[in-house]
Amino acid sequence: MPSNVEIKAKVSDPARFAEKAAELSQSEGTIIRQHDTFFNCSQGRLKLRDFMNESGQLIFYERPDTDGPKLSRYSISPTSDPPSLRAVLSDALGVKGEVRKERRLFLIGQTRVHLDTVEGLGNYMELEVVHLDFFCFVCFFLKVAEDLMEKLSVSKESLVTGAYMDLLLQGHKET
């Protein structure tokens, strides 16, 4: 199963964060609209990501609910009919909840930097250090993530645990 190292944090100044990410990536970033539907499952998380353009991905992932850098293992299957797949999975498993967001994606080296505006929650950032496989050293990727946190002025106090779905279920509100 592929893996990556992830970090998620609250962003208090999205314009400043975007400015720093654009400078580091030498790009204005790519805007991606996403509607994620989370389904009940016995382990990990299962979500259907609808890109709102007749394409999507079914994603299963496992990662610890801790703040700071964490190893995430995932499997992804593309779909060209997210609404139909959502209906089948909803009937079979039940819906845990939904997350709607606009994501601005920046690529910095092997890291995907996301500036997310999450409906009902506000502004967050995610770092995903990708291309992590069995032969790579996790410590190296943790260091890459921590260095980017520093360059993007992400404080340890702003780190969050869990997924956006968890924050919504826990009653977190947009600030």
Side-chain angles (χ1 to χ4, degrees):
M1 191 180 295
S3 302
N4 63 21
V5 172
E6 295 185 12
I7 296 171
K8 185 182 313 239
K10 182 79 173 135
V11 173
S12 57
D13 187 346
R16 180 74 177 124
F17 182 89
E19 182 181 302
K20 287 182 179 186
E23 182 181 315
L24 291 169
S25 69
Q26 299 178 356
S27 154
E28 291 303 310
T30 302
I31 302 294
I32 306 167
R33 290 179 45 227
Q34 298 176 342
H35 174 191
D36 293 345
T37 303
F38 285 78
F39 301 96
N40 298 313
C41 64
S42 60
Q43 67 180 35
R45 293 180 175 94
L46 181 66
K47 68 182 172 186
L48 176 63
R49 172 159 290 159
D50 187 339
F51 292 111
M52 314 306 290
N53 63 2
E54 297 181 14
S55 72
Q57 299 172 324
L58 183 62
I59 304 167
F60 170 76
Y61 65 100
E62 296 177 301
R63 103 178 151 229
D65 289 332
T66 58
D67 61 9
K70 50 198 151 264
L71 184 65
S72 178
R73 298 174 352 114
Y74 60 90
S75 297
I76 299 176
S77 179
T79 181
S80 59
D81 189 1
S84 178
L85 185 54
R86 180 181 299 109
V88 170
L89 290 168
S90 297
D91 289 346
L93 301 173
V95 173
K96 184 175 185 178
E98 298 180 33
V99 174
R100 289 178 175 81
K101 65 181 173 280
E102 182 176 279
R103 170 167 279 176
R104 189 166 169 191
L105 168 66
F106 301 92
L107 298 174
I108 302 173
Q110 76 266 28
T111 304
R112 295 170 56 93
V113 177
H114 305 143
L115 175 57
D116 293 337
T117 302
V118 183
E119 192 175 292
L121 288 178
N123 298 298
Y124 288 80
M125 72 96 217
E126 286 184 355
L127 302 180
E128 292 179 355
V129 185
V130 295
H131 302 301
L132 184 63
D133 62 32
F134 182 75
F135 299 104
C136 293
F137 295 102
V138 173
C139 291
F140 169 76
F141 290 96
L142 288 172
K143 180 70 173 137
V144 168
E146 289 170 348
D147 287 347
L148 264 179
M149 280 178 56
E150 185 176 325
K151 289 177 182 172
L152 293 166
S153 302
V154 176
S155 70
K156 292 195 183 289
E157 295 76 34
S158 66
L159 296 175
V160 296
T161 62
Y164 296 136
M165 183 75 262
D166 301 323
L167 296 175
L168 288 167
L169 289 173
Q170 293 166 5
H172 288 259
K173 300 289 183 202
E174 190 166 341
T175 56

